[in-house]
Amino acid sequence: MSTVIVVGSVNVDLVAAGGRMPRPGETVAMARFAQTQGGKGGNQASAAAALGATTHFVGAVGDDSYGRSAVTDLQARGVRLSGLRTVPEPTGVAVILVDDSGENSIAIIAGANATVGPAQVDAALQAIDGEAVVVACLEVPVPAILAAARTTRARGWQMILNPAPALALPPELIALCTVLTPNETEAAALGGVDALLAAGAGSVVVTRGADGCEIHTAGSEPTFVPAVQASVVDTTGAGDTFTAALAVALADGRPLPEAVRFAAAAGALATEGFGARGSLPTAAEVDIRLTT
Ligand code: RIB
């Protein structure tokens, strides 16, 4: 069985849905409220576990009811939590609006996620035996992600960075990434695909939602991968499932274009339920969607 290690964030998502997005200074009424489990890292770990990978999570929660609910949910999904710390900060929170088309706007309050540091990450990764693919996002501090990337390279593993939310990245971190998975906005904020490849990224997979995605690798022509049909309810977390599925497929030894097609189908399926983890697919469900 393939192994995926996620270094990332845990949030509790406070979601208002149904209606349209407010403009600046405007109040709108929305149809419903829900409290769901989130955080890009927690979502990625949950998605990798649903797809059948042995999945480890490295991150932090607070000693509070949100943190306990997050841990209970991750455990129930089969995610291994020996790399998770409980710290004297509140658990991370995301405030999310989802409009009638399923599009979202998200504001995050890092809380415990901001305490994840290099020593914790390095120790957690060193404790895991065998081959693995490591996944990270930027909702935990960059020094922690850089430590993950250095240890990943030293272990001979592959590193996937979902650069969300986009931040200026140290060139060393870019060069240690096997694959980066920005959306269009994030790719532009990071200086563009050519700059990322010139800095040494192995490949850059730019996701464009319903417009599919592009694979860029230095020295090769870009490859376009079309989007997979979906009945969209909520796009929250679709990118997290995309990145997790890419990690699972690469950990299974699939070539990058095939792994991206698998990830695109997994991401599409993840939009069909409410909440970031409302419709995480199994590998069999992804394979069926790829053949229909
Ligand atoms: O990618 C979706 C996630 O972003 C949400 O679950 C929210 O917690 C934010 O981290």
Side-chain angles (χ1 to χ4, degrees):
M1 192 189 273
S2 52
T3 297
V4 171
I5 306 167
V6 177
V7 179
S9 53
V10 169
N11 294 329
V12 166
D13 290 351
L14 306 177
V15 188
R20 66 170 178 81
M21 296 292 180
R23 289 182 282 270
E26 184 186 27
T27 301
V28 299
M30 298 192 92
R32 58 191 181 282
F33 170 79
Q35 179 180 317
T36 59
Q37 298 300 329
K40 295 186 194 305
N43 298 341
Q44 289 160 350
S46 299
L51 290 164
T54 299
T55 306
H56 300 261
F57 180 74
V58 183
V61 294
D63 184 12
D64 49 27
S65 63
Y66 282 179
R68 286 185 280 281
S69 71
V71 167
T72 300
D73 186 81
L74 289 167
Q75 282 173 333
R77 294 174 186 276
V79 177
R80 300 180 184 199
L81 297 179
S82 57
L84 181 79
R85 289 172 64 222
T86 300
V87 300
E89 293 290 336
T91 298
V93 172
V95 177
I96 302 181
L97 302 180
V98 181
D99 72 13
D100 281 334
S101 73
E103 273 306 326
N104 64 70
S105 287
I106 304 178
I108 56 170
I109 299 94
N113 296 311
T115 72
V116 179
Q120 176 194 353
V121 170
D122 180 57
L125 267 57
Q126 296 289 6
I128 294 167
D129 293 327
E131 291 295 312
V133 173
V134 175
V135 174
C137 66
L138 297 177
E139 288 185 339
V140 293
V142 168
I145 303 307
L146 185 56
R150 286 175 176 157
T151 306
T152 297
R153 177 63 60 92
R155 298 287 306 265
W157 296 339
Q158 298 184 75
M159 176 86 196
I160 302 179
L161 178 62
N162 176 222
L167 303 170
L169 296 178
E172 182 192 355
L173 175 56
I174 298 170
L176 289 170
C177 290
T178 316
V179 185
L180 285 143
T181 59
N183 62 23
E184 299 167 84
T185 313
E186 292 152 359
L190 292 167
V193 168
D194 290 346
L196 292 168
L197 292 175
S203 295
V204 180
V205 178
V206 181
T207 58
R208 299 183 185 279
D211 293 328
C213 53
E214 295 159 7
I215 306 170
H216 299 263
T217 303
S220 304
E221 286 297 306
T223 307
F224 175 71
V225 176
V228 172
Q229 286 267 288
S231 302
V232 178
V233 172
D234 181 357
T235 56
T236 309
D240 304 331
T241 294
F242 179 97
T243 296
L246 186 64
V248 172
L250 291 177
D252 284 343
R254 300 196 199 192
L256 184 60
E258 184 183 330
V260 171
R261 281 193 288 277
F262 182 81
L269 283 159
T271 67
E272 294 187 341
F274 180 72
R277 304 181 196 170
S279 57
L280 299 180
T282 63
E285 288 167 340
V286 175
D287 289 338
I288 290 168
R289 183 59 61 96
L290 279 169
T291 55
T292 52

